[in-house]
Amino acid sequence: MTVKSKHVRIKGIKDGLVFLLDDKCPFEDLLSELRYKLEHSHQNILTGPIVHVDVKLGSRPVTDEDKAAVLEILKSQGNLLIRSIEAVEDQGNVDPEALFLMSGMLRSGQVLHHQGNLLFLGDVNPGGTITCSGDIYILGALRGMAHAGVDGNQDAIIAASLLSPTQLRIADVISRPPDEWGTRESSMEFAYLSSGAMQIDKIHNIVKLRQGLNVFKGV
Amino acid sequence: MGEAIVVTSGKGGVGKTTTTANIGTALALQGKKVCLVDTDIGLRNLDVVMGLENRIIYDLVDVAEGRCRLNQALVKDKRFDELYMLPAAQTKDKTSVTPEQVKDIILELKKEYEYILIDCPAGIEHGFRNAIAGADKAIVVTTPEHAAVRDADRIIGLLEQSSVESPKLVVNRIRPGLVKSGDMLDIEDILQVLNIDLIGIVPDDELVIKAANSGEPTVMNPNSPAAIAYRNIARRILGDAVPLMQLDRKPGAFSKFKKFFGMG
C-alpha cells in the first residue's frame, strides 16, 4: 500500500475530525487504506486527547456490515469517538439521460454490464455479452449478444454501426436474426420494441421513437 | 536472455503442435538456438511429431518435482545441434505442475536458448495457465472455421488479461479453392473479428500429415507449400519483412491485407 492513494481523506473541523471516504474505489481497498493510515502514516495526529469523528461514505451503497467494518477499524484507535457515520442515498440522483462512455473490445466469453445508458466504442464479438439497464449504443460491430433494459425497461434501444448480433434482448423480449427481421441494410441501425416485438430501423428514424430528442433541422 | 513464445488456440486439432514443431525447426534452420517445450501433460504429441519419442528419459514433471536436472530432461534433435525439446509427462495430468513451476523452468531455459516455443494444450483451464505462465509472446493458431475463430477470440481475450504481449495470429489449413468459392472463411473476415496482427497463413497441405507421421517436420521439405509458409513465419519472428504467401486469391483482396500487415 502506498501512501499516495487518496481514498481516505482526513479533515479537521472545529470540534473534531471528518473522515471522507472515496465512494468509487473497491471497498476492500478503502478498508486497507484506512487501516494503514490509522496504524502508520497518521499516527501522530491520532494519538492524544479524545476527538469526535464524523465518517462520510459518499454515495457508496453500503450495508450495515460495511459500516460495522469501518467502525471496527476506527475503534482500534482508542481516542476516536465516532459521532456519526453517513452515506448519501443518491441512487435517485443519477441522471437517467447520462451516457457512460467506454471503449475496448468485447471478446468471446467476456461480459460487460452497465447500470444506465452505455456508449461502447469498439466491437462486441460472437460469444461476448453486453448488458445495460438503459440504452446500448455501439460505435463498432455488434456480433455478440446485447441486452438493453435488463431491469425491464421496454423503452430501451440497442444501436450499432454494424448490427449483426447473435441475439438481441430488450427487457424480457428475445430476438434472433435474421428470420424474425425484415430486409437489412448496411447503414447504422437500432433495435427497439414496438408492442412487444423487436423492430429494426435506420438510426435517423430514432426521432419517431424518442420525441424528447433535440433534433437538428438545418440553419 | 531468450524469448519465450507460447503457441495456443483454445480449440483442439487446429495445428498447435505442428505449428510449434515447424516454427521451431525453421528457427533452427536459420541457425538459432531453440528449445521446444511440450506442456500438454498426459497427451503429449510434440515428441511424436518431431520423431524424438524414443529418446525421452525424463520429462517436464520430473524437472518440476526435482527428480532430475533440467539439462537431463532435454532431448537433442537428431537433425540440428542447436534444437532441443523438453517433453511433457504422459503418465500424469495437467495439475501435476503449477504455473509457477513452469515459469521457473522457462526462465531457466531463457538463459540458454534464443527462442523457447511452448506447445499449449487445448482448453482454457489449468494446462493453458501452465503454458502461458512463462511466455513473453504468443502465437494464436486458428483455422478458417467459425468454431476455431470463436475459440481463438476467447483465448485472445484471456491472453490480453495476462502478462503476455500482444498475440500474433497464424491462420492454418487454408484451402484456396474453398475460400475462392466462398465455402471457407476469408482471411479478412477472420482478421476483422479477431483484430490482431497476422504473422502468417499456412495452406492445407497433405505433406504435413505425411511428415508428422514420419517424425520429420514439414519445414525440412522445400517442395511443400506449408514448409515455405512456416519458414516465412520464422523469418517474421526474426524481424524480416516477408510478404504473405500468394494463395489463389483475387489480387485486390490480397493487396488489401498486405496493407493490413504494413507492407502495402
Side-chain angles (χ1 to χ4, degrees):
Chain A
M1 154 86 39
T2 52
V3 197
K4 274 183 195 159
S5 54
K6 291 253 162 54
H7 302 326
V8 176
R9 285 179 298 152
I10 304 170
K11 276 189 170 176
I13 51 172
K14 61 176 187 272
D15 57 345
L17 291 172
V18 181
F19 279 68
L20 294 167
L21 307 185
D22 186 80
D23 52 9
K24 300 286 187 296
C25 68
F27 194 64
E28 281 307 308
D29 292 1
L30 191 67
L31 290 185
S32 63
E33 186 179 326
L34 182 62
R35 205 171 290 129
Y36 180 87
K37 285 208 164 152
L38 289 182
E39 286 167 10
H40 300 94
S41 55
H42 290 65
Q43 260 225 317
N44 48 344
I45 60 161
L46 298 171
T47 47
I50 285 181
V51 199
H52 290 286
V53 169
D54 298 304
V55 182
K56 290 202 158 78
L57 286 159
S59 60
R60 178 189 293 278
V62 282
T63 61
D64 286 344
E65 278 122 62
D66 292 342
K67 284 186 183 174
V70 174
L71 290 180
E72 193 62 35
I73 294 169
L74 291 172
K75 274 179 196 157
S76 66
Q77 227 52 37
N79 63 322
L80 299 182
L81 192 68
I82 290 98
R83 187 162 49 190
S84 73
I85 176 161
E86 58 186 64
V88 190
E89 300 264 335
D90 80 341
Q91 296 295 33
N93 293 351
V94 176
D95 181 6
E97 299 283 297
L99 200 55
F100 186 74
L101 192 66
M102 196 172 234
S103 73
M105 177 130 190
L106 220 60
R107 296 186 182 275
S108 179
Q110 299 179 332
V111 180
L112 169 63
H113 175 74
H114 174 69
Q115 206 67 28
N117 302 326
L118 180 69
L119 173 59
F120 187 74
L121 312 178
D123 292 351
V124 180
N125 275 358
T129 303
I130 190 162
T131 63
C132 244
S133 63
D135 300 336
I136 301 173
Y137 304 90
I138 297 169
L139 273 182
L142 171 59
R143 299 190 181 91
M145 203 275 274
H147 190 174
V150 276
D151 300 333
N153 177 10
Q154 299 236 350
D155 295 329
I157 64 158
I158 301 167
S161 311
L162 179 72
L163 192 64
S164 162
T166 40
Q167 205 180 74
L168 281 186
R169 301 181 188 173
I170 295 176
D172 49 2
V173 178
I174 301 175
S175 170
R176 70 189 150 81
D179 46 336
E180 295 177 20
W181 301 353
T183 49
R184 308 289 313 284
E185 291 188 32
S186 56
S187 61
M188 184 160 182
E189 292 169 308
F190 72 104
Y192 62 100
L193 286 186
S194 163
S195 51
M198 192 84 67
Q199 302 290 331
I200 309 290
D201 207 340
K202 285 186 192 161
I203 195 70
H204 63 251
N205 288 330
I206 197 167
V207 275
K208 293 178 190 164
L209 200 73
R210 294 282 163 89
Q211 309 283 340
L213 277 178
N214 296 322
V215 181
F216 176 71
K217 293 204 176 88
V219 281
Chain B
M1 205 67 172
E3 191 171 272
I5 305 171
V6 61
V7 179
T8 182
S9 72
K11 190 177 177 297
V14 297
K16 286 180 294 297
T17 305
T18 312
T19 303
T20 309
N22 282 300
I23 295 178
T25 310
L27 285 169
L29 262 174
Q30 298 271 345
K32 296 292 165 191
K33 215 171 170 206
V34 182
C35 184
L36 311 177
V37 179
D38 192 351
T39 58
D40 201 347
I41 302 165
L43 290 167
R44 70 176 180 207
N45 299 133
L46 188 59
D47 51 326
V48 183
V49 175
M50 294 294 292
L52 300 172
E53 192 177 13
N54 53 11
R55 302 180 186 215
I56 296 173
I57 299 167
Y58 293 110
D59 54 48
L60 183 88
V61 179
D62 291 325
V63 179
E65 292 178 353
R67 270 194 295 278
C68 68
R69 281 177 290 111
L70 180 56
N71 278 336
Q72 291 176 294
L74 293 175
V75 182
K76 196 184 89 66
D77 185 70
K78 50 191 174 188
R79 294 153 290 247
F80 297 95
D81 285 336
E82 305 255 69
L83 177 61
Y84 285 80
M85 182 194 66
L86 178 61
Q90 183 69 341
T91 51
K92 312 275 174 32
D93 65 44
K94 312 266 188 284
T95 52
S96 46
V97 292
T98 64
E100 288 70 35
Q101 286 172 324
V102 178
K103 198 174 176 180
D104 290 344
I105 292 171
I106 301 294
L107 220 66
E108 197 63 34
L109 287 170
K110 275 163 76 171
K111 292 177 194 158
E112 277 293 309
Y113 297 88
E114 290 169 275
Y115 287 95
I116 295 113
L117 288 171
I118 306 161
D119 186 19
C120 177
I124 53 170
E125 295 85 15
H126 198 93
F128 170 73
R129 277 191 286 277
N130 280 344
I132 65 164
D136 307 307
K137 294 183 175 175
I139 289 178
V140 176
V141 184
T142 189
T143 55
E145 303 160 65
H146 282 296
V149 173
R150 198 66 51 87
D151 289 2
D153 191 40
R154 180 88 170 98
I155 284 290
I156 295 165
L158 293 172
L159 286 170
E160 283 170 349
Q161 288 166 24
S162 73
S163 56
V164 179
E165 270 178 51
S166 61
K168 302 274 188 287
L169 187 71
V170 169
V171 183
N172 200 5
R173 289 231 206 100
I174 298 165
R175 296 174 66 172
L178 282 183
V179 175
K180 210 174 177 184
S181 66
D183 295 318
M184 190 175 248
L185 274 175
D186 201 274
I187 290 159
E188 274 171 65
D189 297 342
I190 299 172
L191 287 177
Q192 220 164 55
V193 170
L194 297 182
N195 198 21
I196 61 171
D197 292 346
L198 186 67
I199 198 169
I201 51 176
V202 183
D204 199 29
D205 185 351
E206 285 173 11
L207 289 170
V208 174
I209 303 168
K210 215 170 129 189
N213 284 336
S214 59
E216 186 86 8
T218 324
V219 250
M220 303 302 292
N221 180 357
N223 297 321
S224 153
I228 307 301
Y230 281 124
R231 287 185 192 196
N232 287 347
I233 294 173
R235 286 174 59 195
R236 290 186 197 112
I237 290 174
L238 296 175
D240 293 358
V242 190
L244 280 173
M245 186 178 265
Q246 177 90 54
L247 300 174
D248 235 336
R249 313 181 84 251
K250 297 172 294 197
F254 178 69
S255 58
K256 247 197 266 173
F257 89 71
K258 228 167 75 171
K259 204 191 277 168
F260 177 86
F261 204 62
M263 287 178 298

